[in-house]
Amino acid sequence: MAELPDDFHARSIPDVSKLLETDAEVGLGSAKAAELLVKYGRNELQGQRGINPWRILLQQVTNGLTLILTIATVVSIVVEDYAEAGVLIIVILFNTIVGFVQDFRAERTMDALRKMASPSAKVLRDGVQTRISSGDVVPGDVIIFEVGDIIPADCRLCDVLNMEIDEAMLTGESMPAMKSVESLQAKDTTIGDRFNMAYSSTTVSKGRGKGIAVATGMATEIGKISTAIDETPSSTTPLQRRLNKMAYVLFVISIFLAVIVFAVNKFNFNTEIIIYAIALSIAVIPEGLIAVITVVMALGVKRMARQNAIVRKLVVLESMQPVTNICSDKTGTLTQGKMALTNVWIPSKEETYRISGQGYETTGSISYGDEVLDAKRILADENFHRLVECSALCNTANIIESSKGKVWGDPTEIALQVFAYKLQMGKPAFLGLKEAVLEFPFSSASKRMSMVCSNLGTSDDFDIYTKGAENVLEICDKVMDGEMVKQIGDRSEFLEKVHAQIELMATQGLRVLVTAHRRTSEQSMGKPMEKWERGDVEKSLTFLGLVGIRDTPRVESKISVQQCHDAGIKVHMLTGDHKSTALAIATEIGIIGNQLPPSDVNTDGVETIVPMYREVMTAGEFDALSNDEVDALEELPLVIARCTPATKVRMIEALHRRKKYAAMTGDGVNDAPSLKKADVGIAMGAGSDVAKQSSEIVLTDNNFATIVLAMKEGRRIFSNIKKFVVHLMSTNVGQVIVLIVGLAFQDSEGVSVFPLSPVQILFMNMVTGTPPAMSLGIEPASSSIMHVPPQLGGLFTKELMMDMFAYGSFMGGLVLIDWTLVIYAFGHGRLAFDCNDDSNLNACDTVFRARSTLLMSFTWMFLLHAYNCRHLRASLFTKEGGGGSFKRLVDNKLMVWSVVVGALLPIPFVYIPTVNTNIFKQASITWEWGIIVASVLVFFVLSETYKLLKRKLMKTPYVL
Ligand code: ATP
């Protein structure tokens, strides 16, 4: 990699730009950036998010399954059963390779997804601000920073406004460092004192700024001190870990069962009995299960990514299933987030001005009453003029090319900027006249923003422009009345008048902003401008008027909210907006109105109207309640207006105290605590990096409907996992039953003869079982999946255990009947000795034929059982999914193929000489096929009867 100097803090900005062949105003050209990416490599730390193939390989060879198989192999070699040992070695190798490939692929998918959701950087390329993945940043890139951004590379700052950076992770300093742009004299200044630099991986805690990237990847300071930061979140989920643990539990069970085998055979350690014990140990383990889960989950996250929901932590696939409450933002999530300023009110007017226009078009008409007014006339009104100035200047948004929708910034501010443009008073109109010198940024906690502007060349005075929620009124002591600035006389009369107007606009669903202004000077402030604090600036302001901004709800929000209600999921809207705005929008999209009953019937049978305050509260009202009072509320509010990040945390805590599972959306830096606290944290793609890193899912389209799609996908995956767990594990139960009962079948020497051989069991569990299980994993979502309440209780519910044992007993019982029929009813009824190996073939013929019968009937039942498991309660012939029962039987192509191939595949091994006797310990059959077909039919009848009983007797709702 090419070397760059490391004394950028001591160089001037023009010098840095020249050295890196860039331009602080225009940034790099795309072609040049691509060239530099090749030259300097990707902006990534070594080991970061890297996939470690050795670790994956180690995982494959150190699990309970491999352990059992290895012990079985060693024992087989010791007892000189080389054929079996050979098969076992092939199985171990196959399992390790398949497991490795699947895990590697799954990790690669997660890795790619994490990269998609990883911090992004706002850079200037060819003069246009664009968002790129942090990995694509190259030295020379001009990067724009805002609060909450994680600095993607080491940068020499070239522009800052109140910028503070939290550098604790690099310097250990807990206080954020204030930044400026002047070059330092000393080259050997320590990193903590290089106040004109921003270092990779640190976070912007205040203000904003711009910097030129001077070092990327391993050349950054963080890269130098950490040769291998492995921040890959654990890629295994609790479910996978539980299953891994379960493998060890099964291992212990298998040892226990082996002891039983020896005990029943009076601790006679002859080869025959040892092989029996091996067979039983292998039967206990669902060999294919973990691999199938890995693949199904990986496919699931890929699907979700296609639907704009990027899974950052696999665990979410499990935690989404039981979600009972979704707490969602309003702006941009439930609404389009594409705002337009539609109403303006100034104190001297009775009515509001109405502003028209399409999208971000900077043209539109302004009318008052029935009259359309021209810009000149409106701006002649000093009050209106100031309000427009405030809209344009107390504003960080940029309109690049409005006709093409190229705009940059916060939607509220874009709306204000577009409005100013409509009066030819957008930001560019103030170039050379006014310049922003100090900014007190907006945050969802402060709910207001102030900008101090200097008047270039005209006066030493400064203009303070403030805009925000009603709390701006608290810092106004004057009001503009036409040309005049008047002291507010009767404050309550003033507030009453303004609040009435706010209420009027808010009930129309408009976001209302208060605008204010003050002209001041360093002299009257008593200190130089650089030293002005927020408290100095935000006081004694003059109220200018109100603006109303429309943010239309997304069309799909209403449908999605309804889907949540159908699925028993409550939707809460936590918004920063005014109560009436929130109520109007919440009613429009159905959060309020059809979720709670409009009335309650009390114990005396008297109907009482559910008080509205329970459904809609302001954060102030909610926070004023103690935890006990919150818990005493019958229902938590569906809408919290004027919500702050702290209230979001309280809401999650309140939900948790009610034993609810909550999903929470967020985008700001301050949302990180609530996102972390929620069971499912959902960050917005366009949100801050900190929010993204605290969440489990990132929505690339910020859309509420995507959350609902992700919920549906989570439910689908979970219900499919249940299906194939029942499928695979009930077969294990069946096999164990066969071998435990089989202990009673002893030969003339008192040695138990196994009805199923170890290789037969392995063949069933791995070759026959895995493909249909996989096909269950990719089953489409049932149409009822979003019509049942959230299912608590994890994977191993009582019903699932019951199913496993019921189907296991059906299969085990039926094949034992087959065994008895072949040997005792139709055969000679004698068990010859040495039938657990191939040394006494002639005498063992009946036993070997019986084993073939068992393998085939068990295999066919196992395959039919895959169809059973598609619906754990509905009949195989359900019409669910539409298209009639036949179509339903063939619509899952993978299932059809795996059943057909799985049914035919074992047949050659019944007939191929030597392979059948020496490896499978079975022999050719003829009339026994009749028994096989009959048992499969009986199994089918038993399964359907069992499901019928379940449907009749079980009251709990279930996904059909
Ligand atoms: P939601 O939580 O529904 O997504 P939000 O996060 O957009 O809403 P906030 O951004 O916290 O809500 O806005 C709350 C209030 O703060 C708004 O109603 C408005 O009065 C005010 N406000 C919003 N944006 C700005 C801004 N850029 N400058 C000043 N005030 C603002």
Side-chain angles (χ1 to χ4, degrees):
M1 195 167 72
E3 288 281 323
L4 282 169
D6 61 357
D7 59 351
F8 287 101
H9 53 282
R11 292 174 186 259
S12 69
I13 295 159
D15 192 13
V16 174
S17 308
K18 197 166 151 217
L19 192 82
L20 294 168
E21 295 171 38
T22 186
D23 183 325
E25 297 310 316
V26 188
L28 291 171
S30 324
K32 171 100 180 158
E35 224 174 82
L36 290 173
L37 192 61
V38 177
K39 183 169 169 192
Y40 292 101
R42 283 182 64 77
N43 177 31
E44 276 163 2
L45 298 181
Q46 263 166 29
Q48 188 182 18
R49 305 201 173 95
I51 308 171
N52 183 346
W54 294 111
R55 184 175 51 77
I56 299 175
L57 191 63
L58 197 70
Q59 271 169 8
Q60 310 306 317
V61 292
T62 54
N63 61 34
L65 159 69
T66 318
L67 207 67
I68 293 179
L69 293 179
T70 312
I71 294 176
T73 315
V74 173
V75 176
S76 306
I77 293 172
V78 172
V79 299
E80 294 175 12
D81 190 341
Y82 298 116
E84 190 171 275
V87 172
L88 282 165
I89 290 173
I90 293 173
V91 168
I92 294 175
L93 284 178
F94 179 79
N95 232 10
T96 310
I97 294 168
V98 170
F100 176 80
V101 172
Q102 280 162 347
D103 269 10
F104 189 78
R105 278 207 201 141
E107 290 223 6
R108 216 173 38 192
T109 308
M110 286 309 290
D111 197 48
L113 292 180
R114 267 195 298 273
K115 280 197 180 120
M116 277 167 75
S118 73
S120 52
K122 294 181 276 286
V123 297
L124 282 178
R125 291 260 172 105
D126 301 308
V128 179
Q129 205 164 312
T130 45
R131 201 181 260 272
I132 60 169
S133 152
S134 292
D136 293 332
V137 170
V138 290
D141 259 327
V142 177
I143 309 177
I144 318 283
F145 307 116
E146 282 173 27
V147 182
D149 284 354
I150 293 177
I151 309 277
D154 287 1
C155 299
R156 168 71 165 88
L157 294 168
C158 52
D159 200 359
V160 294
L161 203 62
N162 280 3
M163 191 177 178
E164 286 185 10
I165 297 186
D166 178 358
E167 295 181 337
M169 71 168 304
L170 202 60
T171 61
E173 177 55 62
S174 58
M175 290 296 288
M178 187 80 198
K179 295 292 174 182
S180 72
V181 296
E182 291 79 34
S183 18
L184 298 170
Q185 295 302 322
K187 283 191 179 180
D188 55 358
T189 325
T190 58
I191 291 177
D193 292 331
R194 294 182 192 169
F195 51 74
N196 58 6
M197 295 288 292
Y199 289 102
S200 171
S201 303
T202 59
T203 322
V204 182
S205 55
K206 200 175 148 195
R208 52 199 169 90
K210 195 162 80 172
I212 302 173
V214 295
T216 56
M218 291 307 286
T220 58
E221 290 302 325
I222 190 82
K224 285 181 203 156
I225 57 169
S226 64
T227 33
I229 287 187
D230 190 4
E231 59 165 48
T232 314
S234 161
S235 54
T236 51
T237 73
L239 174 67
Q240 286 173 310
R241 283 196 290 276
R242 267 204 304 280
L243 289 173
N244 282 335
K245 264 198 207 139
M246 188 181 81
Y248 286 100
V249 173
L250 293 177
F251 173 65
V252 176
I253 295 177
S254 66
I255 302 277
F256 174 71
L257 292 177
V259 173
I260 293 185
V261 172
F262 290 117
V264 170
N265 289 284
K266 304 182 193 68
F267 292 99
N268 170 6
F269 289 100
N270 83 21
T271 316
E272 302 273 305
I273 297 163
I274 292 174
I275 300 175
Y276 201 115
I278 294 176
L280 195 46
S281 328
I282 294 171
V284 174
I285 312 283
E287 279 83 357
L289 184 59
I290 292 176
V292 178
I293 287 199
T294 312
V295 174
V296 167
M297 285 190 163
L299 289 175
V301 295
K302 271 193 188 162
R303 251 172 85 121
M304 281 165 82
R306 278 200 297 274
Q307 293 169 345
N308 298 324
I310 295 176
V311 172
R312 290 191 71 248
K313 300 175 193 159
L314 260 183
V315 59
V316 76
L317 296 182
E318 290 154 47
S319 45
M320 224 142 44
Q321 161 78 15
V323 165
T324 52
N325 297 66
I326 304 178
C327 301
S328 172
D329 279 340
K330 172 177 70 65
T331 311
T333 312
L334 288 162
T335 63
Q336 296 175 1
K338 234 181 160 189
M339 303 197 189
L341 193 149
T342 55
N343 296 61
V344 172
W345 178 75
I346 52 172
S348 55
K349 298 285 179 199
E350 285 295 316
E351 288 180 36
T352 57
Y353 290 87
R354 286 187 315 284
I355 290 82
S356 72
Q358 291 285 318
Y360 295 137
E361 283 293 345
T362 49
T363 49
S365 67
I366 298 180
S367 53
Y368 186 82
D370 295 334
E371 200 182 351
V372 178
L373 310 168
D374 77 287
K376 239 187 187 161
R377 196 170 137 204
I378 303 165
L379 292 174
D381 184 323
E382 185 91 1
N383 188 172
F384 203 103
H385 193 279
R386 262 292 124 74
L387 185 141
V388 183
E389 248 175 46
C390 180
S391 308
L393 295 170
C394 184
N395 197 315
T396 54
N398 282 319
I399 312 287
I400 299 158
E401 217 179 324
S402 65
S403 57
K404 292 195 180 151
K406 275 197 186 174
V407 289
W408 190 260
D410 172 75
T412 306
E413 304 201 344
I414 294 172
L416 285 156
Q417 197 60 248
V418 168
F419 160 64
Y421 268 76
K422 285 181 183 164
L423 291 151
Q424 284 85 49
M425 275 184 62
K427 239 186 228 173
F430 295 92
L431 271 179
L433 299 173
K434 285 179 190 283
E435 187 187 39
V437 286
L438 202 57
E439 177 187 333
F440 297 97
F442 170 78
S443 79
S444 43
S446 69
K447 298 220 179 342
R448 62 184 180 222
M449 161 185 180
S450 299
M451 190 76 90
V452 179
C453 295
S454 65
N455 288 293
L456 299 172
T458 51
S459 85
D460 293 338
D461 287 346
F462 292 89
D463 281 308
I464 299 170
Y465 298 101
T466 301
K467 69 176 195 314
E470 307 89 271
N471 62 8
V472 174
L473 293 173
E474 294 160 19
I475 46 171
C476 291
D477 59 6
K478 293 177 218 68
V479 55
M480 196 134 187
D481 188 2
E483 306 257 304
M484 313 272 289
V485 173
K486 287 186 183 160
Q487 202 70 32
I488 298 175
D490 184 341
R491 195 164 177 84
S492 50
E493 189 189 326
F494 163 75
L495 289 178
E496 201 179 314
K497 185 174 164 194
V498 178
H499 278 300
Q501 204 43 251
I502 292 179
E503 197 62 40
L504 208 66
M505 287 173 156
T507 40
Q508 296 165 36
L510 297 181
R511 154 170 288 199
V512 186
L513 260 74
V514 178
T515 54
H517 168 257
R518 172 155 67 109
R519 181 154 288 180
T520 189
S521 63
E522 292 187 325
Q523 203 180 7
S524 55
M525 283 286 210
K527 48 184 161 182
M529 180 271 296
E530 295 78 27
K531 296 239 157 65
W532 294 356
E533 303 279 334
R534 190 159 205 153
D536 302 323
V537 168
E538 291 183 346
K539 66 176 188 195
S540 303
L541 301 179
T542 303
F543 171 74
L544 298 176
L546 304 171
V547 294
I549 298 173
R550 168 157 299 285
D551 183 10
T552 319
R554 291 178 188 266
V555 228
E556 57 276 37
S557 293
K558 190 168 183 172
I559 305 163
S560 305
V561 167
Q562 185 55 46
Q563 282 173 350
C564 287
H565 293 173
D566 293 344
I569 303 171
K570 280 222 156 83
V571 183
H572 303 260
M573 186 172 99
L574 308 190
T575 169
D577 259 327
H578 188 275
K579 198 169 173 178
S580 303
T581 315
L583 178 59
I585 303 277
T587 313
E588 198 172 334
I589 56 182
I591 289 184
I592 289 199
N594 56 1
Q595 196 163 3
L596 280 180
S599 59
D600 267 350
V601 176
N602 70 15
T603 41
D604 303 327
V606 179
E607 213 176 39
T608 52
I609 300 298
V610 175
M612 199 51 144
Y613 76 85
R614 270 204 343 215
E615 296 188 4
V616 189
M617 274 188 181
T618 62
E621 288 161 353
F622 186 71
D623 289 338
L625 300 177
S626 67
N627 282 353
D628 288 341
E629 285 168 325
V630 170
D631 295 345
L633 291 176
E634 202 176 315
E635 296 281 347
L636 287 173
L638 294 175
V639 174
I640 297 194
R642 291 296 182 223
C643 191
T644 62
T647 315
K648 285 186 167 186
V649 174
R650 276 204 84 204
M651 183 72 176
I652 293 282
E653 286 169 350
L655 285 166
H656 281 169
R657 285 197 301 277
R658 288 173 188 242
K659 305 271 172 292
K660 302 285 187 196
Y661 259 72
M664 166 72 79
T665 67
D667 48 10
V669 204
N670 302 339
D671 288 335
S674 57
L675 289 174
K676 273 200 186 130
K677 239 198 174 100
D679 301 289
V680 179
I682 305 166
M684 301 300 152
S688 69
D689 295 336
V690 181
K692 283 190 222 165
Q693 295 203 328
S694 311
S695 56
E696 276 84 30
I697 301 185
V698 175
L699 302 184
T700 50
D701 61 356
N702 298 3
N703 192 339
F704 182 79
T706 306
I707 304 179
V708 182
L709 277 181
M711 291 285 157
K712 187 173 171 190
E713 189 61 20
R715 285 184 171 203
R716 182 188 75 89
I717 294 172
F718 201 78
S719 94
N720 285 353
I721 290 179
K722 270 192 178 164
K723 292 175 191 172
F724 64 72
V725 165
V726 172
H727 179 237
L728 293 175
M729 302 270 289
S730 36
T731 310
N732 292 97
V733 171
Q735 290 167 348
V736 171
I737 291 176
V738 169
L739 291 175
I740 292 286
V741 177
L743 285 170
F745 300 113
Q746 296 187 337
D747 63 17
S748 48
E749 294 179 351
V751 169
S752 301
V753 177
F754 49 65
L756 276 172
S757 72
V759 174
Q760 284 182 318
I761 294 170
L762 279 174
F763 193 89
M764 280 177 65
N765 291 2
M766 298 201 51
V767 182
T768 317
T770 310
M774 196 77 80
S775 72
L776 283 169
I778 58 162
E779 276 276 281
S782 138
S783 61
S784 65
I785 203 139
M786 290 301 269
H787 292 276
V788 288
Q791 312 234 315
L792 302 164
L795 180 65
F796 290 99
T797 55
K798 275 193 209 130
E799 183 174 356
L800 185 129
M801 303 297 274
M802 191 175 85
D803 285 351
M804 257 163 52
F805 285 97
Y807 289 115
S809 314
F810 296 159
M811 288 192 264
L814 283 170
V815 296
L816 280 168
I817 294 174
D818 293 353
W819 172 262
T820 321
L821 287 177
V822 175
I823 294 182
Y824 299 98
F826 299 105
H828 46 57
R830 282 188 313 278
L831 293 173
F833 58 89
D834 277 355
C835 292
N836 286 356
D837 63 30
D838 49 11
S839 54
N840 193 7
L841 283 183
N842 281 340
C844 290
D845 186 54
T846 313
V847 169
F848 275 40
R849 291 175 76 112
R851 282 204 195 109
S852 293
T853 316
L854 245 72
L855 173 75
M856 289 314 304
S857 70
F858 211 150
T859 300
W860 284 7
M861 282 185 230
F862 190 14
L863 293 169
L864 176 65
H865 188 37
Y867 272 97
N868 269 338
C869 293
R870 288 183 99 179
H871 291 303
L872 295 177
R873 283 196 201 166
S875 158
L876 185 67
F877 299 113
T878 176
K879 294 273 195 310
E880 144 83 25
S885 23
F886 179 73
K887 183 158 175 278
R888 180 77 191 121
L889 288 179
V890 294
D891 59 1
N892 184 336
K893 296 281 177 296
L894 180 60
M895 185 170 281
V896 175
W897 280 112
S898 44
V899 168
V900 171
V901 175
L904 300 177
L905 209 59
I907 299 177
F909 299 105
V910 171
Y911 293 102
I912 300 172
T914 317
V915 174
N916 57 358
T917 50
N918 293 19
I919 297 177
F920 283 77
K921 315 282 161 46
Q922 63 189 11
S924 313
I925 47 169
T926 47
W927 52 269
E928 288 89 344
W929 284 108
I931 293 182
I932 294 167
V933 173
S935 4
V936 175
L937 288 175
V938 175
F939 175 68
F940 171 68
V941 174
L942 281 176
S943 310
E944 284 293 317
T945 316
Y946 171 69
K947 283 187 178 180
L948 184 74
L949 285 175
K950 272 178 75 175
R951 288 198 297 277
K952 288 255 178 300
L953 301 176
M954 294 190 71
K955 294 282 170 274
T956 47
Y958 196 82
V959 179
L960 284 176

